[in-house]
Amino acid sequence: QITALVRLEQAGGRTSRTRVQSAEAGAEVEIVTAVTPFYSESGGQVGDQGWVRKEGGTVRVTDTQRPVPGLVVMRGTVESGSFAVGDAVQLEVDHALRSATRRNHSATHLLHWALKVVLGEHAMQKGSRVGPDILRFDFAHNRTLTTEEIARIEDLVNAKILENAPVLTHVLPIDEAKKQGAVAIFEEKYGDVVRMLTMTKDSVELCGGTHARALGDIGFFRIDADSSVAAGVRRVFASTGTNAIREVRKSEDELSR
């Protein structure tokens, strides 16, 4: 059920928000419902996309945000019909986009492990951005990765993918998670109860995002670029699944030309 509806207006490069009782086709809106399966942008993972539907009406959701803890806001455009506060609606996450995001997010955990194996324990995560078409990972290191290091990192990650181990999720007190060796990202804020993701014994990290059910779902991992973003911090762009295949074909086409 829709509990709140906000109409968005664009003027002079600014967005104004007006709380309304209803919105018609063509309106850009923000929708809040009593419950939602949509993941709001958090921890470096982009918000879900999808649809809000009812008989005779559809809203195409293009982003999901969490402006304050506990409040999930779905932003999109009314494509057909009209929507009003109190309407019963059906929420549908774009499965293809969510699956691509899950592949990329799980791969960042394996990448983090592989970087520390190849470069040393100092190569700790400093930030990330994951979505259907992006896998960006920042880590502590003071020089460009060599061709040999990139190959070894890719080999380690792809070997884990071929193991096809299940991705195990546990919700437990943070002290217990740390006792089990879970890696916590220094810049992240955690509560007393956390979500621990285990991807074989080598990768155990705290994370609240969406992930693959098994490592084999990632399909294939490839590092696309490595650059410097700050003193002592490197940034890797990588790809998984069909995105990785697309990048390989792009490289092959460049070589052919």
Side-chain angles (χ1 to χ4, degrees), residues 49-207:
Q49 300 183 45
W51 299 268
V52 177
R53 305 185 194 273
K54 71 171 197 176
E55 187 174 351
T58 302
V59 173
R60 180 63 167 112
V61 177
T62 55
D63 191 20
T64 306
Q65 294 290 322
R66 185 176 59 186
V68 295
L71 178 66
V72 176
V73 178
M74 296 165 286
R75 177 185 292 183
T77 302
V78 182
E79 293 185 328
S80 61
S82 63
F83 288 78
V85 174
D87 281 352
V89 292
Q90 180 180 358
L91 306 180
E92 180 184 347
V93 173
D94 189 316
H95 180 70
L97 295 182
R98 166 74 79 85
S99 294
T101 299
R102 290 165 63 191
R103 287 192 291 269
N104 282 342
H105 202 161
S106 294
T108 64
H109 286 230
L110 297 182
L111 172 60
H112 193 195
W113 160 74
L115 285 166
K116 288 187 289 184
V117 171
V118 175
L119 305 177
E121 287 296 324
H122 69 277
M124 294 293 293
Q125 179 177 346
K126 292 297 180 181
S128 66
R129 180 76 170 171
V130 290
D133 298 312
I134 186 170
L135 191 172
R136 189 188 77 204
F137 192 86
D138 298 345
F139 61 98
H141 196 52
N142 58 9
R143 60 172 174 79
T144 303
L145 298 178
T146 67
T147 302
E148 292 75 17
E149 287 170 339
I150 289 174
R152 190 175 172 212
I153 292 164
E154 289 177 336
D155 287 347
L156 285 170
V157 173
N158 283 304
K160 283 291 185 187
I161 291 170
L162 288 174
E163 287 185 30
N164 197 30
V167 177
L168 304 177
T169 304
H170 296 94
V171 177
L172 68 173
I174 189 167
D175 290 340
E176 180 60 29
K178 289 181 177 179
K179 287 180 183 177
Q180 295 188 31
V183 175
I185 308 307
F186 180 74
E187 291 81 359
E188 293 284 346
K189 296 180 180 178
Y190 300 99
D192 294 333
V193 177
V194 295
R195 186 163 173 261
M196 184 177 75
L197 272 292
T198 301
M199 302 180 190
T200 76
K201 63 180 179 60
D202 295 316
S203 177
V204 183
E205 297 189 1
L206 303 184
C207 184

Side-chain angles (χ1 to χ4, degrees), residues 222 247-257:
R222 179 181 191 269
E247 289 299 319
V248 168
R249 287 175 178 163
K250 185 169 75 173
S251 295
E252 289 176 339
D253 181 59
E254 289 172 354
L255 284 169
S256 176
R257 286 187 286 108

Side-chain angles (χ1 to χ4, degrees), residues 27-42:
E28 187 178 355
V29 295
E30 290 180 336
I31 296 177
V32 177
T33 54
V35 293
T36 177
F38 281 68
Y39 180 87
S40 56
E41 182 171 338
S42 180

